[in-house]
Amino acid sequence: MTQSSMIHHSPAWQRLAVHADEMRDVHLKSLFTENSGRHARFTRRGVGLTLDLSKHRWRDETLSMLLELAREADLERAIARLQNGERVNLSEDRPALHTALRLPPEASLVVEGEDVVPDVHETLARMQAMVEKCHAGQWRGATGRPITDVVNLGVGGSDLGPLMVTHALADYRPRDVHQVDIHFASTMDGSQLADYLTRFNPATTLFVLSSKSFTTIDTLSNASTARDWLMTRLADGGQDTEMSELVMRQHFIGVSAKPERMSEWGIDPRHQLRFWEWVGGRYSLWGAIGLPIALAVGMDNFRELLAGAHDMDRHFRETPLEDNLPVLLALAGIWNVNFLDVRAHSILPYDGRLEYFASYLEQLEMESNGKSVTNDGEITPYSTCPVLWGQLGPNAQHAFYQLLHQGTQAVECDFIAPVRRYDRVEDPATRAHLKAQHRLTLANCIAQSRVLMLGDEALPSDVPRPSHKRYRGNQPSTTLLLDRLTPRTLGALIALYEHKVFVQATLWDINPFDQWGVELGKQIASETEQILASRRGAEALDDSSRGLLDVVWQAQDGT
Ligand code: F6P
């Protein structure tokens, strides 16, 4: 788009801007008294999910105008282009085909002359063979003992997706197999890894090196520490050639889009899993990067996760915009950010299994849409991705809800909860207790969104309240209910947010599939590390950086 054709000049945007002036002072509670049936009018169901958007500060006509905006941005064509494998990642000139990773085997998707589906399923078959070998107790370390601990070394998309899903689906661990515990080490300072290295047995520990680029210093630093740890303990520090080879073969799996770099590092080609440049890091849990998930829950459950995401892909492509879950979720966000100036967004799952969901979404949303130039390189004259953060809702109630209820910031909230839980707990007494806890949690979820909406009026009283006990309400929120949290509904939930991000990026005319904003920091950090180590070149830096380096050097010198 050129400056004059930018979306904020479009007729629908202009109408929305005028409409927003009327809506800005309308309190949410009054929208509920205007006419009945608001929940039904603003709620949609699909793919095991119920999406209630009635607690947004909008009316029917608002939604009609937003849908018009989506049509003006040619959203339906954009969805088809995404899923057909066109080069939607403009700055890197390639497709963004995470949806291809969850196509069923009988599907076909020809991208630039080649059907990508057979390759996708070949990788899944190779993952399956690895998972089955581990679960049969047949994946043995260099000394012949079966592997018991697998540590994923990766960061960003090579960590957060597998970590989040592995935790969310912990109930789905197969019981009748050789048990393998899955762990994650991501931080470049080695904190998590250092802990594992004191506790795990090198003879029974397998490392999965997950890195699309295979150049990420965080992951490679952890990997080299792990390799030395194994070599020292199992191969006489590398002196024992035969054992060294066995260590490299039996204790490392590599997952990357760069096979030559994996080989150079020493990963045995038989233990390399590949994925493709057209899969973005934060969209990659559906393929080989999902190996830790498959090791935790088994391949059948992993395939169910893919099936749930594929259900959502079809819903996204085939459902009219007015009933389309990702589209509606995205439009609520656009309305808040661009028209009501609500620029903070909190993710609040009411289910401990979704503990890492907010961290996962932080990368998905902010690395994708934290952009300020359009696809044509123009500065966006409108806001894009809000600041997004979150925490388990019940715990956040005892931490930052104070700000949501009485602070000065407008915040959009997503409440997420499963409708049913604990049906499979065998012991009846424990099941009854846990079901009561689930009921309590659901009640809190529904109550909190109600108080955020109504403020004081959730509990009418004739007694005047002092100002420090007043709640103004009017905070918009979405409530997203899963029938149950299963591999299938989780797949659909994640894909829902992936597509929401895409819809928003399409309307904002930005590229959600690149992340150039992380590159400069990496380059400067590498230069700084050289100065820190060599103590040369600091004079070229700014005064603060020089001062901080001095503090470190003085501490190193014991002065
Ligand atoms: O630096 C950001 C980033 O490139 C993310 O986009 C990515 O998920 C993460 O680093 C890890 O990258 P890789 O998988 O290439 O190690």
Side-chain angles (χ1 to χ4, degrees), residues 153-160 210-220 255-256 275 280-284 289 363 367 514-515 518-519 522:
L153 304 178
V155 70
S158 301
D159 169 66
L160 290 166
S210 296
S211 175
K212 178 179 173 182
S213 61
F214 227 77
T215 55
T216 305
I217 192 73
D218 319 49
T219 301
L220 293 181
V255 182
S256 179
F275 61 111
R282 55 194 171 273
Y283 298 87
S284 63
I289 289 286
Q363 186 195 13
E367 197 172 71
D514 61 11
Q515 57 284 323
V518 301
E519 292 306 322
K522 290 180 190 173

Side-chain angles (χ1 to χ4, degrees), residues 198-413:
T198 60
R199 292 191 287 121
F200 296 170
N201 182 347
T204 57
T205 302
L206 170 69
F207 293 92
V208 179
L209 268 62
S210 296
S211 175
K212 178 179 173 182
S213 61
F214 227 77
T215 55
T216 305
I217 192 73
D218 319 49
T219 301
L220 293 181
S221 305
N222 276 326
S224 125
T225 302
R227 183 171 54 189
D228 277 5
W229 177 72
L230 290 169
M231 287 297 181
T232 309
R233 282 153 186 82
L234 301 177
D236 197 14
Q239 302 295 315
D240 183 335
T241 334
E242 200 182 327
M243 279 302 270
S244 299
E245 275 173 25
L246 272 173
V247 165
M248 292 312 294
R249 191 168 77 224
Q250 294 306 107
H251 291 265
F252 290 101
I253 293 176
V255 182
S256 179
K258 299 286 186 193
E260 65 292 345
R261 289 187 193 150
M262 287 195 273
S263 298
E264 202 180 308
W265 195 87
I267 308 271
D268 188 300
R270 284 165 291 183
H271 296 162
Q272 296 181 8
L273 290 172
R274 283 191 61 185
F275 61 111
W276 303 273
E277 290 296 347
W278 43 258
V279 181
R282 55 194 171 273
Y283 298 87
S284 63
L285 70 88
W286 315 101
I289 289 286
L291 180 67
I293 304 171
L295 284 167
V297 302
M299 211 57 198
D300 288 350
N301 285 319
F302 187 72
R303 288 183 195 275
E304 272 293 290
L305 181 82
L306 301 186
H310 179 63
D311 291 343
M312 182 56 74
D313 297 339
R314 289 190 52 192
H315 169 94
F316 186 44
R317 187 168 181 148
E318 293 168 6
T319 310
L321 298 185
E322 54 273 23
D323 293 320
N324 193 308
L325 303 182
V327 172
L328 294 172
L329 189 59
L331 292 180
I334 297 264
W335 174 241
N336 284 314
V337 168
N338 295 113
F339 298 97
L340 298 182
D341 301 326
V342 182
R343 306 225 175 98
H345 193 150
S346 196
I347 304 297
L348 305 164
Y350 277 69
D351 185 322
R353 294 172 294 181
L354 293 175
E355 183 168 359
Y356 296 107
F357 192 64
S359 315
Y360 168 78
L361 280 192
E362 283 164 14
Q363 186 195 13
L364 178 66
E365 298 230 9
M366 295 198 282
E367 197 172 71
S368 297
N369 282 348
K371 312 282 165 67
S372 52
V373 287
T374 66
N375 284 305
D376 281 344
E378 305 285 350
I379 301 291
T380 54
Y382 38 79
S383 288
T384 59
C385 188
V387 173
L388 183 134
W389 90 107
Q391 167 62 280
L392 288 178
N395 294 4
Q397 287 177 197
H398 302 282
F400 61 75
Y401 271 42
Q402 168 65 38
L403 178 146
L404 302 182
H405 287 299
Q406 291 190 319
T408 54
Q409 306 296 330
V411 182
E412 174 180 358
C413 298

Side-chain angles (χ1 to χ4, degrees), residues 493-535:
L493 176 73
I494 301 167
L496 167 74
Y497 277 94
E498 285 181 347
H499 294 324
K500 170 213 159 173
V501 164
F502 178 74
V503 173
Q504 294 192 332
T506 303
L507 268 64
W508 287 325
D509 189 26
I510 57 177
N511 181 358
F513 301 119
D514 61 11
Q515 57 284 323
W516 296 103
V518 301
E519 292 306 322
L520 182 60
K522 290 180 190 173
Q523 189 187 326
I524 300 296
S526 156
E527 288 170 19
T528 309
E529 213 249 320
Q530 281 168 26
I531 296 170
L532 187 56
S534 68
R535 300 195 180 195

Side-chain angles (χ1 to χ4, degrees), residues 2 5 87 111 114 133 160 167 172 227 254 306 349 376 429 438:
T2 61
S5 68
R87 297 187 178 202
V111 178
E114 203 179 326
K133 201 167 174 186
L160 290 166
H167 193 77
Y172 286 84
R227 183 171 54 189
L306 301 186
D376 281 344
H438 176 233

